[in-house]
C-alpha cells in the first residue's frame, strides 16, 4: 500500500487541520464548543497526522467503527516510555497505563474477565429496583431544593447524585464518603485527555493515590466482613492481587460515575434547549430508551478513544503506519452526515441510532448497560414529574477534551 500522511494532502489544508486540532485540544473555545471544529476536521481530513502529538486523528464514523474492529492494540508499557517519558513517576498515569482501559490481551482479557460478570445485561437488569429508588430519591431532593422557586444546580441533586449512589453501593464507597469521591472521579477522569498540564497531572496523582488507599481499606474490610458488593465478590474469587483490585475499583468507580453524570446532565440540557423534544417525552415516556441513545449520540460523554496500529493499516483511505497512535474522535463520528441525516439536529425519535459513544471492540464500555439503565429510569420520570423544569442560567461544562458534560446546570422546578 502507498503511504499517505493525511487525506489533507494539500500543504495549506494540512496546516489548517493542524490548527483546528490544536484549537480543539488546547483552547477554551474548543472545550466549550467542539463540534464546529470537529465537523471541519472531518470534512477536510477524516484521518489526519498531527505532528505536534505524533498521532493520527480519526473523525469519521466509518473510520472509528473500522478502527474498533481491527487488530489494534493500545500500546505497550515500553511504548509509553517512548511517547510519555516520566509517566512511571505519576501514580495516575501508572494506574491508567496498567489498567484494562489501556492494556492489550492477554493482560486486558485477564482483568476484564474478572469484572465483566457484574455488568452483563442480565446482572444490571436485576438492579432495576435499586436504581429506581435512587432516581426517585434524587428527584425528591431536587423538588425540595427548588420548592421556593430559586435556581438550583441540577447536577448537585440529580446528575451527580444518581451515579454516585449507584457506583457507591456497587463499589463499596460509604455514603458519607461519596461527596469526596466526586472530586476524586473528576480529577482521575481528566487523565484521559491527550494533553495534560502539570496541574491536571498533580490533581490526578493526588486523587488516584487517595482512592487506591481508600479501596485498599475496603478490600481489607470485605475480606473480614463480606457483604453483597463487587469488592466482596472480587476478594472471594481470589483472581487478582490486592493492588490490582484497588486500582480496578478506582477505574470502575471513576468511569461509571463521571461519564454517567455527564450523560444525565447533557441529556437534561438538550431537552431544555429543545422544548419540542421535551414535550415528546412528556407525552410518551416510552420514548426514554431511544431518547437516551440520541443523547449519547448528540453529546457523547466520552469524546475520545485511543488505538495503536500493530501493522500498517488503512483507515478511511489513509495508511496509518505500524506502531503509531490514533485518537478516535467519537463525538465527531457521532455527527458524521454520511451516517446520520441532519446530524446536528437533536431528535429523540431518530431511528437506527447506532452511535459510538461507548467505543467498540474488546474495549467496548463495560458499564454501558448500567449507564443506560440509570438514564432511562431518570428520563422516564423527569419530564412527567417536572413539566415546568427550565434552565435558569448559563451551563458550565467541564474544561476537558475527552470527558464532556455539565458541572453546573442551573434550573428551576
Amino acid at each position: 500500500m502507498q503511504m499517505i500522511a493525511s487525506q489533507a494532502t494539500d500543504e495549506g489544508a494540512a496546516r489548517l487541520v493542524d490548527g483546528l486540532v490544536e484549537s480543539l485540544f488546547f483552547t477554551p473555545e474548543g472545550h466549550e464548543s467542539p463540534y464546529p471544529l470537529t465537523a471541519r476536521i472531518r470534512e477536510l481530513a477524516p484521518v489526519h497526522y498531527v505532528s505536534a502529538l505524533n498521532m493520527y486523528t480519526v473523525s469519521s464514523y466509518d473510520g472509528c467503527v473500522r478502527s474498533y474492529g481491527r487488530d489494534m492494540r493500545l500500546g505497550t508499557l515500553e511504548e509509553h516510555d517512548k511517547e510519555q517519558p516520566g509517566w512511571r513517576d505519576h501514580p495516575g498515569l501508572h494506574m491508567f497505563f496498567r489498567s484494562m482501559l489501556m492494556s492489550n490481551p492477554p493482560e486486558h482479557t485477564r482483568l476484564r474477565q474478572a469484572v465483566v460478570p457484574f455488568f452483563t445485561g442480565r446482572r444490571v437488569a436485576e438492579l432495576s429496583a435499586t436504581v429506581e429508588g435512587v432516581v426517585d430519591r434524587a428527584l425528591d431532593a431536587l423538588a425540595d431544593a427548588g420548592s421556593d422557586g430559586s435556581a438550583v444546580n441540577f447536577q448537585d441533586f440529580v446528575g451527580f447524585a444518581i451515579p454516585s449512589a449507584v457506583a457507591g453501593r456497587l463499589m463499596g464507597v460509604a455514603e458519607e464518603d461519596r461527596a469526596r469521591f466526586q472530586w476524586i472521579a473528576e480529577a482521575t477522569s481528566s487523565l484521559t485527555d491527550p494533553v495534560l498540564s502539570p496541574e491536571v497531572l498533580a490533581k490526578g496523582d493526588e486523587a488516584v493515590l487517595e482512592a487506591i488507599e481508600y479501596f485498599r481499606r475496603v478490600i481489607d474490610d470485605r475480606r473480614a466482613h463480606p457483604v453483597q458488593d463487587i469488592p466482596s465478590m472480587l476478594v472471594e474469587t481470589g483472581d487478582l492481587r490486592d493492588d490490582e483490585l484497588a486500582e480496578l475499583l478506582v477505574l470502575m468507580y471513576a468511569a461509571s460515575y463521571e461519564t454517567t453524570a455527564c450523560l444525565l446532565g447533557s441529556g437534561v440540557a438538550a431537552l431544555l434547549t429543545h422544548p419540542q423534544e421535551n414535550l415528546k417525552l412528556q407525552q410518551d415516556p416510552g420514548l426514554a430508551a431511544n431518547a437516551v441513545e440520541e443523547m449519547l449520540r448528540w453529546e457523547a460523554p466520552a469524546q475520545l478513544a485511543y488505538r495503536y496500529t500493530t501493522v500498517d493499516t488503512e483507515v478511511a483511505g489513509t495508511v496509518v503506519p505500524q506502531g503509531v497512535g490514533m485518537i478516535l474522535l467519537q463525538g465527531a463520528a457521532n455527527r458524521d452526515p454520511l451516517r446520520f441525516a441532519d446530524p446536528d439536529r437533536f431528535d429523540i425519535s431518530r431511528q437506527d441510532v447506532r452511535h459510538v459513544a461507548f467505543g467498540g471492540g474488546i474495549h467496548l464500555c463495560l458499564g454501558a448497560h448500567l449507564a443506560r439503565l440509570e438514564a432511562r429510569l431518570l428520563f422516564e420520570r423527569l419530564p412527567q414529574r417536572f413539566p415546568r423544569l427550565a434552565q435558569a442560567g448559563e451551563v458550565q461544562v467541564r474544561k476537558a477534551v475527552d470527558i464532556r458534560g455539565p458541572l453546573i446546570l442551573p434550573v428551576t422546578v
Side-chain angles (χ1 to χ4, degrees):
M1 281 188 266
Q2 181 183 5
M3 290 295 180
I4 306 173
S6 166
Q7 288 191 343
T9 52
D10 176 80
E11 186 175 339
R15 285 199 301 269
L16 174 58
V17 179
D18 284 344
L20 292 168
V21 172
E22 290 179 13
S23 294
L24 177 67
F25 288 164
F26 297 109
T27 70
E29 294 77 15
H31 299 163
E32 292 170 9
S33 184
Y35 300 114
L37 292 169
T38 56
R40 189 68 174 138
I41 292 167
R42 187 182 57 242
E43 177 187 352
L44 291 170
V47 181
H48 178 70
Y49 177 68
V50 184
S51 58
L53 300 175
N54 190 30
M55 298 184 80
Y56 283 74
T57 56
V58 180
S59 50
S60 68
Y61 181 88
D62 183 66
C64 285
V65 169
R66 290 180 182 275
S67 298
Y68 296 136
R70 295 283 177 79
D71 180 22
M72 295 181 182
R73 52 193 167 88
L74 291 173
T76 64
L77 297 182
E78 289 74 18
E79 284 170 329
H80 293 311
D81 286 333
K82 178 178 67 176
E83 297 294 332
Q84 291 185 266
W87 69 269
R88 295 174 189 267
D89 298 328
H90 292 280
L93 297 181
H94 195 268
M95 182 200 74
F96 265 116
F97 290 159
R98 298 199 311 161
S99 74
M100 65 178 174
L101 189 68
M102 296 293 287
S103 62
N104 309 307
E107 186 66 5
H108 169 270
T109 306
R110 181 179 72 87
L111 294 171
R112 188 174 176 104
Q113 285 182 344
V115 294
V116 73
F118 306 118
F119 295 96
T120 63
R122 179 186 62 80
R123 198 70 172 263
V124 168
E126 294 172 356
L127 298 172
S128 290
T130 298
V131 177
E132 284 179 8
V134 169
V135 170
D136 288 338
R137 284 189 290 277
L139 295 180
D140 288 344
L142 179 66
D144 290 343
S147 61
D148 62 356
S150 61
V152 296
N153 182 12
F154 180 88
Q155 291 298 82
D156 285 343
F157 294 96
V158 181
F160 297 139
I162 291 173
S164 174
V166 173
R169 291 185 183 199
L170 291 176
M171 312 296 176
V173 177
E175 188 170 355
E176 61 270 20
D177 298 325
R178 291 172 191 168
R180 177 62 177 172
F181 263 80
Q182 178 179 329
W183 176 84
I184 288 174
E186 182 183 336
T188 301
S189 298
S190 295
L191 295 171
T192 63
D193 268 11
V195 181
L196 301 173
S197 68
E199 294 77 16
V200 168
L201 268 174
K203 288 181 180 179
D205 288 344
E206 179 185 352
V208 166
L209 287 173
E210 182 175 334
I212 286 174
E213 180 58 32
Y214 184 93
F215 282 118
R216 282 184 178 276
R217 295 195 298 271
V218 170
I219 291 164
D220 290 341
D221 179 76
R222 297 306 191 266
R223 185 167 282 120
H225 309 287
V227 297
Q228 289 298 310
D229 63 7
I230 289 176
S232 295
M233 289 182 273
L234 286 172
V235 166
E236 184 180 359
T237 65
D239 294 334
L240 301 176
R241 304 187 309 268
D242 280 6
D243 62 316
E244 292 176 320
L245 283 176
E247 291 183 356
L248 193 55
L249 289 166
V250 175
L251 179 72
M252 290 193 297
Y253 186 97
S256 62
Y257 169 87
E258 193 70 15
T259 53
T260 304
C262 290
L263 166 59
L264 302 184
S266 295
V268 171
L271 289 174
L272 296 183
T273 53
H274 296 79
Q276 286 301 116
E277 301 307 300
N278 198 18
L279 182 60
K280 283 184 191 176
L281 203 50
Q282 287 182 27
Q283 294 173 342
D284 184 5
L287 283 172
N290 199 75
V292 170
E293 299 308 310
E294 175 68 348
M295 292 166 184
L296 287 161
R297 182 200 70 82
W298 199 70
E299 190 78 284
Q303 294 274 308
L304 310 178
Y306 298 92
R307 293 291 186 274
Y308 282 80
T309 53
T310 55
V311 296
D312 294 348
T313 305
E314 184 177 349
V315 180
T318 296
V319 177
V320 180
Q322 176 184 355
V324 176
M326 298 194 303
I327 303 176
L328 309 185
L329 304 181
Q330 298 179 153
N334 283 337
R335 296 198 182 199
D336 188 340
L338 295 180
R339 174 60 183 83
F340 301 102
D342 197 4
D344 293 323
R345 177 171 54 88
F346 179 68
D347 178 6
I348 67 169
S349 301
R350 185 186 294 272
Q351 298 301 300
D352 192 28
V353 192
R354 287 183 291 172
H355 56 75
V356 293
F358 289 126
I362 63 171
H363 292 278
L364 180 71
C365 177
L366 191 66
H369 291 301
L370 184 59
R372 283 179 165 123
L373 175 65
E374 293 175 54
R376 176 178 62 80
L377 291 174
L378 172 64
F379 290 111
E380 284 176 349
R381 290 160 168 72
L382 183 71
Q384 283 72 43
R385 181 153 181 192
F386 299 99
R388 292 187 296 276
L389 189 72
Q391 189 172 321
E394 184 179 356
V395 178
Q396 296 183 29
V397 300
R398 286 181 49 125
K399 291 179 174 61
V401 180
D402 184 8
I403 306 301
R404 179 168 173 80
L407 291 173
I408 299 177
L409 175 52
V411 298
T412 54
V413 300

mmCIF file of all heavy atoms in Angstrom, residues 262-278 291 294-296 298-299 335 345-348 379 391 395 406 409:
data_model
loop_
_atom_site.group_PDB
_atom_site.id
_atom_site.type_symbol
_atom_site.label_atom_id
_atom_site.label_comp_id
_atom_site.label_asym_id
_atom_site.label_seq_id
_atom_site.Cartn_x
_atom_site.Cartn_y
_atom_site.Cartn_z
ATOM 1 N N CYS A 262 -22.199 12.937 33.266
ATOM 2 C CA CYS A 262 -22.192 13.777 32.061
ATOM 3 C C CYS A 262 -23.392 13.464 31.175
ATOM 4 O O CYS A 262 -24.027 14.372 30.626
ATOM 5 C CB CYS A 262 -20.899 13.569 31.287
ATOM 6 S SG CYS A 262 -19.434 14.246 32.092
ATOM 7 N N LEU A 263 -23.707 12.180 31.015
ATOM 8 C CA LEU A 263 -24.859 11.785 30.195
ATOM 9 C C LEU A 263 -26.149 12.371 30.758
ATOM 10 O O LEU A 263 -26.962 12.945 30.014
ATOM 11 C CB LEU A 263 -24.949 10.255 30.147
ATOM 12 C CG LEU A 263 -26.261 9.648 29.613
ATOM 13 C CD1 LEU A 263 -26.550 10.096 28.190
ATOM 14 C CD2 LEU A 263 -26.208 8.121 29.710
ATOM 15 N N LEU A 264 -26.363 12.268 32.058
ATOM 16 C CA LEU A 264 -27.606 12.762 32.653
ATOM 17 C C LEU A 264 -27.707 14.283 32.509
ATOM 18 O O LEU A 264 -28.749 14.815 32.126
ATOM 19 C CB LEU A 264 -27.682 12.355 34.122
ATOM 20 C CG LEU A 264 -27.610 10.848 34.422
ATOM 21 C CD1 LEU A 264 -27.804 10.587 35.909
ATOM 22 C CD2 LEU A 264 -28.629 10.066 33.606
ATOM 23 N N GLY A 265 -26.630 14.985 32.815
ATOM 24 C CA GLY A 265 -26.666 16.444 32.720
ATOM 25 C C GLY A 265 -26.799 16.937 31.297
ATOM 26 O O GLY A 265 -27.591 17.852 31.010
ATOM 27 N N SER A 266 -26.046 16.329 30.371
ATOM 28 C CA SER A 266 -26.133 16.745 28.970
ATOM 29 C C SER A 266 -27.504 16.427 28.391
ATOM 30 O O SER A 266 -28.041 17.189 27.574
ATOM 31 C CB SER A 266 -25.051 16.043 28.144
ATOM 32 O OG SER A 266 -23.766 16.452 28.543
ATOM 33 N N GLY A 267 -28.080 15.293 28.814
ATOM 34 C CA GLY A 267 -29.416 14.938 28.334
ATOM 35 C C GLY A 267 -30.466 15.930 28.778
ATOM 36 O O GLY A 267 -31.327 16.341 27.979
ATOM 37 N N VAL A 268 -30.401 16.358 30.034
ATOM 38 C CA VAL A 268 -31.357 17.358 30.528
ATOM 39 C C VAL A 268 -31.147 18.685 29.810
ATOM 40 O O VAL A 268 -32.118 19.345 29.386
ATOM 41 C CB VAL A 268 -31.207 17.532 32.053
ATOM 42 C CG1 VAL A 268 -32.035 18.721 32.540
ATOM 43 C CG2 VAL A 268 -31.657 16.266 32.769
ATOM 44 N N ALA A 269 -29.888 19.102 29.644
ATOM 45 C CA ALA A 269 -29.613 20.359 28.943
ATOM 46 C C ALA A 269 -30.154 20.323 27.520
ATOM 47 O O ALA A 269 -30.713 21.310 27.025
ATOM 48 C CB ALA A 269 -28.104 20.626 28.938
ATOM 49 N N ALA A 270 -30.025 19.180 26.855
ATOM 50 C CA ALA A 270 -30.538 19.046 25.487
ATOM 51 C C ALA A 270 -32.059 19.167 25.459
ATOM 52 O O ALA A 270 -32.627 19.852 24.601
ATOM 53 C CB ALA A 270 -30.103 17.712 24.888
ATOM 54 N N LEU A 271 -32.726 18.532 26.390
ATOM 55 C CA LEU A 271 -34.191 18.612 26.435
ATOM 56 C C LEU A 271 -34.665 20.037 26.702
ATOM 57 O O LEU A 271 -35.635 20.503 26.098
ATOM 58 C CB LEU A 271 -34.740 17.667 27.503
ATOM 59 C CG LEU A 271 -34.648 16.172 27.224
ATOM 60 C CD1 LEU A 271 -35.110 15.379 28.443
ATOM 61 C CD2 LEU A 271 -35.476 15.771 25.998
ATOM 62 N N LEU A 272 -33.978 20.725 27.610
ATOM 63 C CA LEU A 272 -34.416 22.074 27.976
ATOM 64 C C LEU A 272 -34.187 23.079 26.857
ATOM 65 O O LEU A 272 -34.871 24.103 26.794
ATOM 66 C CB LEU A 272 -33.697 22.533 29.254
ATOM 67 C CG LEU A 272 -34.021 21.717 30.511
ATOM 68 C CD1 LEU A 272 -33.316 22.310 31.719
ATOM 69 C CD2 LEU A 272 -35.526 21.633 30.762
ATOM 70 N N THR A 273 -33.231 22.804 25.976
ATOM 71 C CA THR A 273 -32.997 23.703 24.841
ATOM 72 C C THR A 273 -33.718 23.225 23.586
ATOM 73 O O THR A 273 -33.610 23.874 22.539
ATOM 74 C CB THR A 273 -31.490 23.836 24.558
ATOM 75 O OG1 THR A 273 -30.907 22.532 24.414
ATOM 76 C CG2 THR A 273 -30.798 24.577 25.690
ATOM 77 N N HIS A 274 -34.444 22.126 23.691
ATOM 78 C CA HIS A 274 -35.243 21.608 22.571
ATOM 79 C C HIS A 274 -36.637 21.253 23.122
ATOM 80 O O HIS A 274 -36.960 20.085 23.340
ATOM 81 C CB HIS A 274 -34.594 20.369 21.946
ATOM 82 C CG HIS A 274 -33.262 20.641 21.325
ATOM 83 N ND1 HIS A 274 -32.112 20.750 22.061
ATOM 84 C CD2 HIS A 274 -32.907 20.863 20.022
ATOM 85 C CE1 HIS A 274 -31.088 20.997 21.251
ATOM 86 N NE2 HIS A 274 -31.555 21.084 20.013
ATOM 87 N N PRO A 275 -37.458 22.274 23.385
ATOM 88 C CA PRO A 275 -38.734 22.053 24.072
ATOM 89 C C PRO A 275 -39.655 21.077 23.355
ATOM 90 O O PRO A 275 -40.442 20.378 24.021
ATOM 91 C CB PRO A 275 -39.349 23.454 24.158
ATOM 92 C CG PRO A 275 -38.577 24.295 23.195
ATOM 93 C CD PRO A 275 -37.221 23.705 23.119
ATOM 94 N N GLN A 276 -39.609 21.002 22.033
ATOM 95 C CA GLN A 276 -40.465 20.053 21.330
ATOM 96 C C GLN A 276 -40.084 18.618 21.647
ATOM 97 O O GLN A 276 -40.952 17.743 21.774
ATOM 98 C CB GLN A 276 -40.387 20.288 19.810
ATOM 99 C CG GLN A 276 -41.116 21.535 19.338
ATOM 100 C CD GLN A 276 -42.599 21.488 19.710
ATOM 101 O OE1 GLN A 276 -43.078 22.309 20.501
ATOM 102 N NE2 GLN A 276 -43.316 20.521 19.162
ATOM 103 N N GLU A 277 -38.797 18.367 21.816
ATOM 104 C CA GLU A 277 -38.350 17.025 22.176
ATOM 105 C C GLU A 277 -38.731 16.714 23.621
ATOM 106 O O GLU A 277 -39.116 15.590 23.950
ATOM 107 C CB GLU A 277 -36.837 16.902 21.987
ATOM 108 C CG GLU A 277 -36.369 17.181 20.568
ATOM 109 C CD GLU A 277 -37.111 16.340 19.545
ATOM 110 O OE1 GLU A 277 -37.036 15.107 19.623
ATOM 111 O OE2 GLU A 277 -37.768 16.941 18.658
ATOM 112 N N ASN A 278 -38.638 17.721 24.476
ATOM 113 C CA ASN A 278 -39.058 17.547 25.865
ATOM 114 C C ASN A 278 -40.547 17.218 25.935
ATOM 115 O O ASN A 278 -40.979 16.335 26.701
ATOM 116 C CB ASN A 278 -38.751 18.813 26.652
ATOM 117 C CG ASN A 278 -38.742 18.589 28.150
ATOM 118 O OD1 ASN A 278 -38.644 17.465 28.618
ATOM 119 N ND2 ASN A 278 -38.846 19.674 28.904
ATOM 120 N N ALA A 291 -34.529 8.017 23.500
ATOM 121 C CA ALA A 291 -34.016 9.360 23.803
ATOM 122 C C ALA A 291 -32.604 9.282 24.368
ATOM 123 O O ALA A 291 -31.741 10.105 24.033
ATOM 124 C CB ALA A 291 -34.944 10.064 24.781
ATOM 125 N N GLU A 294 -30.121 8.856 21.597
ATOM 126 C CA GLU A 294 -29.897 10.103 20.880
ATOM 127 C C GLU A 294 -29.058 11.069 21.719
ATOM 128 O O GLU A 294 -28.209 11.793 21.184
ATOM 129 C CB GLU A 294 -31.237 10.750 20.496
ATOM 130 C CG GLU A 294 -31.144 12.115 19.837
ATOM 131 C CD GLU A 294 -30.537 12.108 18.436
ATOM 132 O OE1 GLU A 294 -29.957 11.071 18.021
ATOM 133 O OE2 GLU A 294 -30.611 13.134 17.749
ATOM 134 N N MET A 295 -29.268 11.083 23.032
ATOM 135 C CA MET A 295 -28.427 11.912 23.904
ATOM 136 C C MET A 295 -26.967 11.482 23.823
ATOM 137 O O MET A 295 -26.055 12.313 23.771
ATOM 138 C CB MET A 295 -28.925 11.816 25.344
ATOM 139 C CG MET A 295 -30.288 12.448 25.578
ATOM 140 S SD MET A 295 -30.982 11.958 27.183
ATOM 141 C CE MET A 295 -32.600 12.752 27.109
ATOM 142 N N LEU A 296 -26.737 10.177 23.817
ATOM 143 C CA LEU A 296 -25.382 9.657 23.717
ATOM 144 C C LEU A 296 -24.738 10.018 22.376
ATOM 145 O O LEU A 296 -23.543 10.300 22.302
ATOM 146 C CB LEU A 296 -25.392 8.144 23.903
ATOM 147 C CG LEU A 296 -25.631 7.647 25.336
ATOM 148 C CD1 LEU A 296 -26.088 6.189 25.335
ATOM 149 C CD2 LEU A 296 -24.357 7.802 26.170
ATOM 150 N N TRP A 298 -25.680 12.651 20.380
ATOM 151 C CA TRP A 298 -25.621 14.097 20.196
ATOM 152 C C TRP A 298 -24.550 14.746 21.068
ATOM 153 O O TRP A 298 -23.921 15.727 20.666
ATOM 154 C CB TRP A 298 -26.991 14.700 20.508
ATOM 155 C CG TRP A 298 -27.198 16.061 19.955
ATOM 156 C CD1 TRP A 298 -27.346 16.423 18.648
ATOM 157 C CD2 TRP A 298 -27.306 17.282 20.713
ATOM 158 N NE1 TRP A 298 -27.541 17.780 18.532
ATOM 159 C CE2 TRP A 298 -27.522 18.334 19.789
ATOM 160 C CE3 TRP A 298 -27.254 17.581 22.069
ATOM 161 C CZ2 TRP A 298 -27.677 19.653 20.187
ATOM 162 C CZ3 TRP A 298 -27.391 18.892 22.467
ATOM 163 C CH2 TRP A 298 -27.611 19.914 21.535
ATOM 164 N N GLU A 299 -24.321 14.208 22.261
ATOM 165 C CA GLU A 299 -23.340 14.771 23.195
ATOM 166 C C GLU A 299 -22.672 13.617 23.942
ATOM 167 O O GLU A 299 -22.985 13.323 25.095
ATOM 168 C CB GLU A 299 -24.033 15.714 24.176
ATOM 169 C CG GLU A 299 -23.090 16.533 25.034
ATOM 170 C CD GLU A 299 -22.479 17.711 24.296
ATOM 171 O OE1 GLU A 299 -21.559 17.465 23.487
ATOM 172 O OE2 GLU A 299 -22.900 18.856 24.515
ATOM 173 N N ARG A 335 -21.568 12.658 14.749
ATOM 174 C CA ARG A 335 -22.238 13.715 13.976
ATOM 175 C C ARG A 335 -21.793 13.692 12.510
ATOM 176 O O ARG A 335 -21.828 14.712 11.831
ATOM 177 C CB ARG A 335 -21.987 15.078 14.610
ATOM 178 C CG ARG A 335 -22.595 15.207 16.010
ATOM 179 C CD ARG A 335 -22.704 16.648 16.410
ATOM 180 N NE ARG A 335 -23.231 16.800 17.767
ATOM 181 C CZ ARG A 335 -23.765 17.931 18.233
ATOM 182 N NH1 ARG A 335 -23.841 18.999 17.441
ATOM 183 N NH2 ARG A 335 -24.219 18.022 19.462
ATOM 184 N N ARG A 345 -28.995 17.945 14.452
ATOM 185 C CA ARG A 345 -30.358 18.057 14.977
ATOM 186 C C ARG A 345 -30.551 17.036 16.097
ATOM 187 O O ARG A 345 -30.259 15.870 15.939
ATOM 188 C CB ARG A 345 -31.379 17.823 13.868
ATOM 189 C CG ARG A 345 -32.844 17.838 14.333
ATOM 190 C CD ARG A 345 -33.795 17.820 13.133
ATOM 191 N NE ARG A 345 -33.508 16.705 12.244
ATOM 192 C CZ ARG A 345 -34.038 15.477 12.378
ATOM 193 N NH1 ARG A 345 -34.874 15.218 13.362
ATOM 194 N NH2 ARG A 345 -33.736 14.529 11.506
ATOM 195 N N PHE A 346 -31.060 17.512 17.232
ATOM 196 C CA PHE A 346 -31.372 16.633 18.360
ATOM 197 C C PHE A 346 -32.793 16.128 18.202
ATOM 198 O O PHE A 346 -33.744 16.909 18.205
ATOM 199 C CB PHE A 346 -31.217 17.403 19.675
ATOM 200 C CG PHE A 346 -31.542 16.602 20.904
ATOM 201 C CD1 PHE A 346 -30.737 15.537 21.298
ATOM 202 C CD2 PHE A 346 -32.651 16.913 21.681
ATOM 203 C CE1 PHE A 346 -31.035 14.805 22.439
ATOM 204 C CE2 PHE A 346 -32.962 16.192 22.818
ATOM 205 C CZ PHE A 346 -32.145 15.135 23.199
ATOM 206 N N ASP A 347 -32.965 14.811 18.051
ATOM 207 C CA ASP A 347 -34.272 14.229 17.733
ATOM 208 C C ASP A 347 -34.407 12.908 18.466
ATOM 209 O O ASP A 347 -33.819 11.894 18.074
ATOM 210 C CB ASP A 347 -34.393 14.015 16.220
ATOM 211 C CG ASP A 347 -35.712 13.364 15.819
ATOM 212 O OD1 ASP A 347 -36.588 13.180 16.687
ATOM 213 O OD2 ASP A 347 -35.857 13.026 14.632
ATOM 214 N N ILE A 348 -35.191 12.887 19.549
ATOM 215 C CA ILE A 348 -35.299 11.671 20.353
ATOM 216 C C ILE A 348 -36.100 10.586 19.653
ATOM 217 O O ILE A 348 -36.141 9.444 20.130
ATOM 218 C CB ILE A 348 -35.911 11.966 21.742
ATOM 219 C CG1 ILE A 348 -37.381 12.389 21.627
ATOM 220 C CG2 ILE A 348 -35.096 13.010 22.482
ATOM 221 C CD1 ILE A 348 -38.088 12.431 22.972
ATOM 222 N N PHE A 379 -35.131 9.518 32.715
ATOM 223 C CA PHE A 379 -35.887 10.244 31.686
ATOM 224 C C PHE A 379 -37.289 9.687 31.464
ATOM 225 O O PHE A 379 -38.096 10.343 30.802
ATOM 226 C CB PHE A 379 -35.077 10.298 30.391
ATOM 227 C CG PHE A 379 -33.877 11.186 30.513
ATOM 228 C CD1 PHE A 379 -32.596 10.653 30.511
ATOM 229 C CD2 PHE A 379 -34.037 12.551 30.682
ATOM 230 C CE1 PHE A 379 -31.487 11.472 30.656
ATOM 231 C CE2 PHE A 379 -32.940 13.381 30.834
ATOM 232 C CZ PHE A 379 -31.657 12.842 30.827
ATOM 233 N N GLN A 391 -34.252 25.904 32.320
ATOM 234 C CA GLN A 391 -32.883 26.356 32.549
ATOM 235 C C GLN A 391 -32.917 27.754 33.142
ATOM 236 O O GLN A 391 -33.686 28.611 32.716
ATOM 237 C CB GLN A 391 -32.105 26.346 31.232
ATOM 238 C CG GLN A 391 -30.616 26.598 31.390
ATOM 239 C CD GLN A 391 -29.864 26.380 30.090
ATOM 240 O OE1 GLN A 391 -30.171 25.460 29.335
ATOM 241 N NE2 GLN A 391 -28.886 27.230 29.815
ATOM 242 N N VAL A 395 -24.947 27.319 31.483
ATOM 243 C CA VAL A 395 -24.398 25.999 31.772
ATOM 244 C C VAL A 395 -22.872 26.084 31.734
ATOM 245 O O VAL A 395 -22.302 26.653 30.800
ATOM 246 C CB VAL A 395 -24.893 24.961 30.753
ATOM 247 C CG1 VAL A 395 -24.279 23.585 31.038
ATOM 248 C CG2 VAL A 395 -26.412 24.878 30.773
ATOM 249 N N PRO A 406 -21.891 18.825 31.767
ATOM 250 C CA PRO A 406 -22.014 19.999 32.636
ATOM 251 C C PRO A 406 -21.535 19.749 34.052
ATOM 252 O O PRO A 406 -21.773 18.686 34.626
ATOM 253 C CB PRO A 406 -23.526 20.285 32.638
ATOM 254 C CG PRO A 406 -24.173 19.211 31.830
ATOM 255 C CD PRO A 406 -23.159 18.198 31.480
ATOM 256 N N LEU A 409 -25.541 23.170 36.004
ATOM 257 C CA LEU A 409 -26.709 23.264 35.148
ATOM 258 C C LEU A 409 -27.842 23.872 35.969
ATOM 259 O O LEU A 409 -28.626 23.173 36.618
ATOM 260 C CB LEU A 409 -27.103 21.874 34.630
ATOM 261 C CG LEU A 409 -28.398 21.748 33.805
ATOM 262 C CD1 LEU A 409 -28.409 22.736 32.659
ATOM 263 C CD2 LEU A 409 -28.569 20.318 33.308
#
